[in-house]
């Protein structure tokens, strides 16, 4: 006898079981924790970008000064 194709239990992944607070709309600490973690990550990314921009500006400035000096001396 062939398997029944009518039983689709478990197809499409499993759903997270909601706590009573989640069911009542009160939310959980998990949501707040995720928001705090996302905020920390965004702050870290911002700091890293600022440092990278400052570092590229520092490396570009001395080479620009060196390029300007010889042309000024040749005149």
């Amino acid at each position: 006898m062939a398997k029944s194709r009518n039983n689709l239990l478990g197809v499409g992944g499993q759903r997270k079981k909601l706590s009573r607070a989640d069911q009542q709309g009160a939310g959980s600490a998990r949501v707040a924790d995720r928001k705090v973690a996302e905020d920390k990550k965004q702050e870290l990314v911002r700091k890293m970008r600022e440092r990278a921009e400052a570092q590229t500006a520092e490396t570009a400035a001395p080479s620009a000064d060196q390029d300007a000096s010889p042309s000024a001396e040749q005149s």
Side-chain angles (χ1 to χ4, degrees), residues 4-5 8-10 13-14 18-20 25 28-29 31-33 39 52 55-57 59 62-63 71:
S4 172
R5 299 291 179 197
L8 297 176
L9 183 65
Q14 297 178 352
L18 297 175
S19 67
R20 283 189 178 207
S28 67
V31 175
D33 290 343
D39 291 343
Q55 189 175 12
T56 55
T59 56
S63 62
S71 61

Side-chain angles (χ1 to χ4, degrees), residues 3 5 11 18 29 44 47 53 57 62 75:
K3 285 186 174 180
R5 299 291 179 197
V11 172
L18 297 175
L44 180 62
K47 287 180 181 179
E53 289 173 2
S75 299

Side-chain angles (χ1 to χ4, degrees), residues 2-72:
K3 285 186 174 180
S4 172
R5 299 291 179 197
N6 294 331
N7 185 5
L8 297 176
L9 183 65
V11 172
Q14 297 178 352
R15 295 185 182 186
K16 180 176 95 51
K17 293 190 177 182
L18 297 175
S19 67
R20 283 189 178 207
D22 288 335
Q23 290 174 359
Q24 294 172 356
S28 67
R30 178 182 299 174
V31 175
D33 290 343
R34 286 184 182 167
K35 182 165 177 29
V36 169
E38 183 65 26
D39 291 343
K40 286 181 180 179
K41 182 179 177 182
Q42 292 297 327
E43 182 67 19
L44 180 62
V45 168
R46 184 186 62 80
K47 287 180 181 179
M48 290 175 67
R49 284 186 181 147
E50 287 177 358
R51 288 180 188 163
E53 289 173 2
Q55 189 175 12
T56 55
E58 283 180 12
T59 56
S63 62
D65 293 340
Q66 291 173 357
D67 292 341
S69 297
S71 61

